[in-house]
């Protein structure tokens, strides 16, 4: 069986270094907000090209804390509207409603699946105060145009970069386009910890400090609390793991891009729609980290079963759109036709740095042999 994502094999490549990092933390005697977190924050900020990186407990907290900090800073208030793509993972929307803000769902570009700048423009009202730009599947949204819109209307932009570590447009990486960005280091991400972990990147000093305080019980000095904060801190052990894996992120991403290019060149079954780049392909694939390689077909369930039968594990990201989830049954009404069509037809093929050339060729041959 070709695994969708073999985390054991991925981490086995760095086993000795990971064990050394664990031992370094154990032997330090300092397990919360120590040297490893501080070092990782600097290293990841440097990687993204940002002034600040603040480690937090997970990717959802990263998004929640940015919006919460903007409220504490007086930039947002309860009931303000936040534009967000309708076809995102539910975490993007949970962060908005957790802060008593109103999510305004907009349809994506049907070709790239990323939020449509045209639809953003159409959704802006006098209550709109922010945009959550999700880099779905690892491909950067059209950030130059989104930032033009935001600047014109004085809107805050929060990048949801949970799937896009290292993706860039013209050399400017995810996490350095908006006013802030939330990252997830869930084990299955391109930069994955060995447990839950997340971070916020920003170039704004006040925002960085506010998030840091909010995530530490609202305290900037022991036993003194500025805000009614939460406990959301990057774990010292996970920071040490991430420092090891960050060194290999670019090489792993390069391999993902190679696999994606091979899939794109090799899969020619007319029943399978391949992903389309939103950026001129002559610029290369820097804009896409290929966290996922997502194809689309009206025969999704049949294709998935067929691939499973021949020994290829696939996944569906995501089977139910957020507006159709029970959790939001009283929040959203109506239909989002493009989003619902995407969610009923997408299928993620395996793509990871540990796939062999023969594995990739087998997936291509199986897709081309499929007849429904």
């Amino acid at each position: 069986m070709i695994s969708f994502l073999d985390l054991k094999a991925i981490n086995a490549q760095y086993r000795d270094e990971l064990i050394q990092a664990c031992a370094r933390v154990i032997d330090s005697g300092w397990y919360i907000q120590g040297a490893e977190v501080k070092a990782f924050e600097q290293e990841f900020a440097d990687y993204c090209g940002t002034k600040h990186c603040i480690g937090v407990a997970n990717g959802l907290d990263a998004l929640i804390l940015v919006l919460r900090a903007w409220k504490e800073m007086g930039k947002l208030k309860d009931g303000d509207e936040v534009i967000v793509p309708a076809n995102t993972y539910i975490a993007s929307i949970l962060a908005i409603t957790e802060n008593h803000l109103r999510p305004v769902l907009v349809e994506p570009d049907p070709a790239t699946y990323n939020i449509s700048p045209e639809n953003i423009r159409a959704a802006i009202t006098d209550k709109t105060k922010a945009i959550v730009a999700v880099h779905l599947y690892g491909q950067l949204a059209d950030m130059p145009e989104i930032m033009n819109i935001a600047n014109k209307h004085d809107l805050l932009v929060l990048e949801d970069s949970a799937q896009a570590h290292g993706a860039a447009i013209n050399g400017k990486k995810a996490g350095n386009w908006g006013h802030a960005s939330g990252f997830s280091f869930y084990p299955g991400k391109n930069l994955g910890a060995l447990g839950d972990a997340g971070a916020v990147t920003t170039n704004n000093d006040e925002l960085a400090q506010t998030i840091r305080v909010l995530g530490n019980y609202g305290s900037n000095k022991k036993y003194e609390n500025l805000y009614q904060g939460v406990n959301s801190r990057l774990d010292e052990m996970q920071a040490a793991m991430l420092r090891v894996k960050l060194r290999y992120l670019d090489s792993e991403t390069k391999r993902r891009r190679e696999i994606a290019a091979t899939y794109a060149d090799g899969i020619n079954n007319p029943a399978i729609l391949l992903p389309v780049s939103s950026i001129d392909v002559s610029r290369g694939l820097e804009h896409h980290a290929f966290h996922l390689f997502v194809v689309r077909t009206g025969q999704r369930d049949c294709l998935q079963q067929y691939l499973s039968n021949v020994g290829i594990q696939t996944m569906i990201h995501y089977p139910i759109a957020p507006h159709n989830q029970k959790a939001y049954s009283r929040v959203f009404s109506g239909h989002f036709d493009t989003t619902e069509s995407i969610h009923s037809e997408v299928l993620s093929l395996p793509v990871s740095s540990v796939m062999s050339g023969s594995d990739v060729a087998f997936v291509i041959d199986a897709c081309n042999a499929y007849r429904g």
Side-chain angles (χ1 to χ4, degrees):
M1 172 69 76
I2 296 176
S3 299
F4 179 75
L5 185 64
D6 189 343
L7 291 178
K8 182 177 180 179
I10 289 172
N11 289 319
Q13 302 172 102
Y14 319 121
R15 185 177 186 275
D16 290 344
E17 291 177 78
L18 292 170
I19 290 173
Q20 290 170 15
C22 286
R24 191 168 66 239
V25 174
I26 293 168
D27 293 343
S28 74
W30 193 289
Y31 308 120
I32 298 290
Q33 292 187 311
E36 297 294 338
V37 169
K38 184 177 181 180
F40 173 73
E41 288 178 337
Q42 185 61 59
E43 290 162 7
F44 193 64
D46 291 344
Y47 179 82
C48 294
T50 58
K51 189 174 182 181
H52 301 284
C53 168
I54 307 95
V56 298
N58 54 67
L60 176 57
D61 279 5
L63 299 176
I64 289 173
L65 286 169
V66 171
L67 295 172
R68 169 75 187 280
W70 279 335
K71 291 181 73 177
E72 296 291 353
M73 293 164 62
K75 294 181 178 294
L76 295 174
K77 64 180 185 305
D78 286 4
D80 282 346
E81 293 180 353
V82 179
I83 292 174
V84 62
N87 65 313
T88 186
Y89 181 58
I90 199 169
S92 309
I93 298 170
L94 287 170
I96 298 170
T97 55
E98 178 68 17
N99 279 288
H100 306 290
L101 302 167
R102 181 172 177 265
V104 176
L105 305 184
V106 301
E107 292 274 46
D109 180 324
T112 67
Y113 313 136
N114 270 331
I115 192 167
S116 161
E118 180 181 353
N119 290 341
I120 290 175
R121 290 190 191 92
I124 293 173
T125 71
D126 58 0
K127 294 182 180 180
T128 306
K129 301 301 178 184
I131 301 168
V132 175
V134 181
H135 305 316
L136 197 64
Y137 308 148
Q139 179 172 203
L140 280 186
D142 188 351
M143 292 309 298
E145 187 57 29
I146 290 171
M147 293 311 298
N148 285 339
I149 295 169
N151 291 334
K152 179 179 179 180
H153 295 276
D154 194 25
L155 304 177
L156 297 164
V157 176
L158 170 56
E159 295 176 72
D160 184 340
S161 301
Q163 301 182 355
H165 316 71
I169 297 175
N170 296 331
K172 189 172 183 177
K173 286 189 173 76
N176 194 23
W177 280 95
H179 300 102
S181 179
F183 284 89
S184 168
F185 305 123
Y186 181 79
K189 302 299 185 186
N190 290 20
L191 178 58
L194 275 70
D196 268 324
V200 174
T201 57
T202 183
N203 292 306
N204 185 282
D205 295 344
E206 182 184 2
L207 178 63
Q209 179 60 18
T210 305
I211 291 170
R212 196 173 293 283
V213 171
L214 281 170
N216 188 39
Y217 297 95
S219 174
N220 68 329
K221 183 178 179 182
K222 195 167 186 178
Y223 302 127
E224 294 183 13
N225 301 79
L226 298 178
Y227 310 110
Q228 296 176 28
V230 297
N231 177 6
S232 182
R233 302 176 297 209
L234 176 60
D235 182 79
E236 189 77 355
M237 189 71 77
Q238 297 304 334
M241 303 294 100
L242 289 166
R243 292 186 68 200
V244 171
K245 297 187 70 176
L246 179 59
R247 295 196 288 269
Y248 300 98
L249 177 58
D250 284 345
S251 61
E252 289 207 9
T253 303
K254 181 175 181 289
R255 178 57 182 152
R256 286 174 174 272
R257 288 170 175 155
E258 289 171 351
I259 294 169
T262 304
Y263 278 162
D265 288 341
I267 298 174
N268 54 28
N269 190 325
I272 300 173
L273 180 66
L274 297 173
V276 175
S277 165
S278 63
I279 309 297
D280 184 350
V281 292
S282 66
R283 301 182 190 176
L285 292 173
E286 69 163 359
H287 62 284
H288 207 319
F290 286 101
H291 173 61
L292 300 171
F293 188 92
V294 180
V295 300
R296 191 171 169 184
T297 175
Q299 306 168 31
R300 193 258 306 280
D301 292 346
C302 291
L303 176 60
Q304 184 176 43
Q305 185 60 59
Y306 161 79
L307 292 175
S308 177
N309 290 344
V310 299
I312 299 170
Q313 184 183 30
T314 60
M315 300 287 286
I316 299 172
H317 299 88
Y318 303 95
I320 304 174
H323 69 277
N324 285 329
Q325 297 283 358
K326 183 177 180 181
Y328 283 112
S329 61
R330 297 182 180 180
V331 177
F332 302 119
S333 60
H335 295 282
F336 294 84
D337 293 340
T338 301
T339 291
E340 289 169 16
S341 177
I342 289 170
H343 280 255
S344 68
E345 296 180 351
V346 290
L347 185 68
S348 300
L349 301 182
V351 53
S352 79
S353 60
V354 295
M355 287 184 70
S356 67
S358 59
D359 287 341
V360 176
F362 186 79
V363 173
I364 291 171
D365 290 343
C367 286
N368 289 337
Y370 173 70
R371 291 294 178 267

